[in-house]
Amino acid sequence: MLQVKPQPHSGPAGSDPDAGLSIAEAARRTGVSVHTLRYYERAGLVVTPVGRTAGGRRRYHQFDLQWIVVCTKLRATGMPIKTIRCYAELISAGHGNEQERLALLEAHRADVSAKLAEVQENLRLIDHKIDVYRGRLAAGDADQLWAPPISE
Amino acid sequence: MLQVKPQPHSGPAGSDPDAGLSIAEAARRTGVSVHTLRYYERAGLVVTPVGRTAGGRRRYHQFDLQWIVVCTKLRATGMPIKTIRCYAELISAGHGNEQERLALLEAHRADVSAKLAEVQENLRLIDHKIDVYRGRLAAGDADQLWAPPISE
DNA sequence: GCTTGACCTGGAGCATGCTCTAAATCCTAT
DNA sequence: ATAGGATTTAGAGCATGCTCCAGGTCAAGC
C-alpha cells in the first residue's frame, strides 16, 4: 500500500538525487509523520544511521525509505517496536545471523496467523448478530432480540 | 472459544443456583481477571447492574456471564471499550434503538474487515521474506540477502 | 469471638505507541 | 543581513487498556 515513489528527479527539498531527502519529504513519501520518523530512530528502528548534513539535519536516502516502509508493514501486522528493533539489529549486525532473522519472522508469522484466526472467529459472532438484527428489523419484531432480564 | 460453562449444580462459591457467582468464579468461567471484571464495570460495560449481596459483594448471574463473554469477543476483534459501552447503553436503554445497534455493529464489522485485509496484505510481505530467507539459507548463499548499503 | 481469606473502593502504576512542546539552530530567499 | 520557515533536541503529554496496591469490610470455619 505504501510505496516509496521514485523521485521525479527535481522534487522539493533538494534536486540532487544523491543529496537525500529532508525529513518532511521522507515523511510524505512513506506516509509516516515526522514525529514518528524521529521516534522510530530514537527507538532504534534503524539498520544504518540516517545521514546528516553538515548542519545536523537528517538526509534520507533510498535505503532509509525502503526500511521505513518495511517497518510500517511490520507494524501494520502488529509487530511490537521492540521486535522490529531486534530485527533491525540483526540486519545491522551483517551476515551470519540469517537463521535468527528467519526465526524472528517465522515467530511473528505464527503470531499474526493465530491473531487472524481469532479475529475471524469472533467476527462470525458479530456477523451473526448483524444477521439477526437485520432479520428482526425486516420482520418488524425487533422486540424479540436479546435484552437484559426484566429485573433479575 | 470462551464459553460460559453450565454450573455443575454444586460448584464452589455457593451452591444455590439462583444466588449468583462470586467475582472469582465469574472470572474463572469467563477467562477474564477479577481486576478486569471490575474495570469493565467501572468503564460502563454493563447492560444491567451486577447484583450485590447484602454485604456489597458482586453476584454474577447467567446473563452477566453471557454479556461478559460478548464483551471479550468484541474486544478480541478490536472494538474499543468506549464503543462497547455505547453498545451496552443502547441495549440497556431497551427496545426502540435496534437500528442504532445494527449500525454500530455494521460500522465495526467494516472496520474489522478493513483491518483484516490490511493485515493479510502485509502478511504477504512477511511470507515473501520468509520464503526468500529459506531459499537462500537452503542454497547456502545467504550473503545475497537484503543488507544495508556498505557505507552510503 | 477470632482468624483467615475473599472481596470492596479509589486511585496509582505500567506498557505501548505515538504526539506534541519549547527553545535553539539551520538554511534559503530577499 | 535578516526574516521566516524547517529542523534539531530532550523531554513532557496523551490515549488505551489493563494491572495492581492500600486500607478497610465481609463472611465462613473453629
Side-chain angles (χ1 to χ4, degrees), chain A residues 48 61 63 73 76-77 95 101 106 108-109 118 120 122 126-127 133-134 143 145-146 148-149 152, chain B residues 48 61 63 73 76 95 98 101 106 108-109 116 118 120 122 126-127 133-134 143 146 148-149 152:
Chain A
T48 51
H61 295 90
F63 176 81
K73 288 173 187 291
T77 58
H95 302 302
R101 299 186 207 175
E106 283 174 335
H108 180 61
R109 212 222 104 92
E118 190 197 346
Q120 280 164 341
N122 289 317
I126 295 171
D127 281 337
Y133 270 100
R134 278 181 180 154
D143 297 17
L145 289 167
W146 194 52
E152 294 289 320
Chain B
T48 51
H61 295 92
F63 176 82
K73 288 173 188 293
H95 302 302
E98 286 79 8
R101 298 187 208 174
E106 282 173 336
H108 180 60
R109 211 221 105 91
L116 224 39
E118 190 198 345
Q120 280 164 342
N122 289 317
I126 295 171
D127 281 337
Y133 270 101
R134 278 181 181 154
D143 296 18
W146 194 53
E152 296 289 319

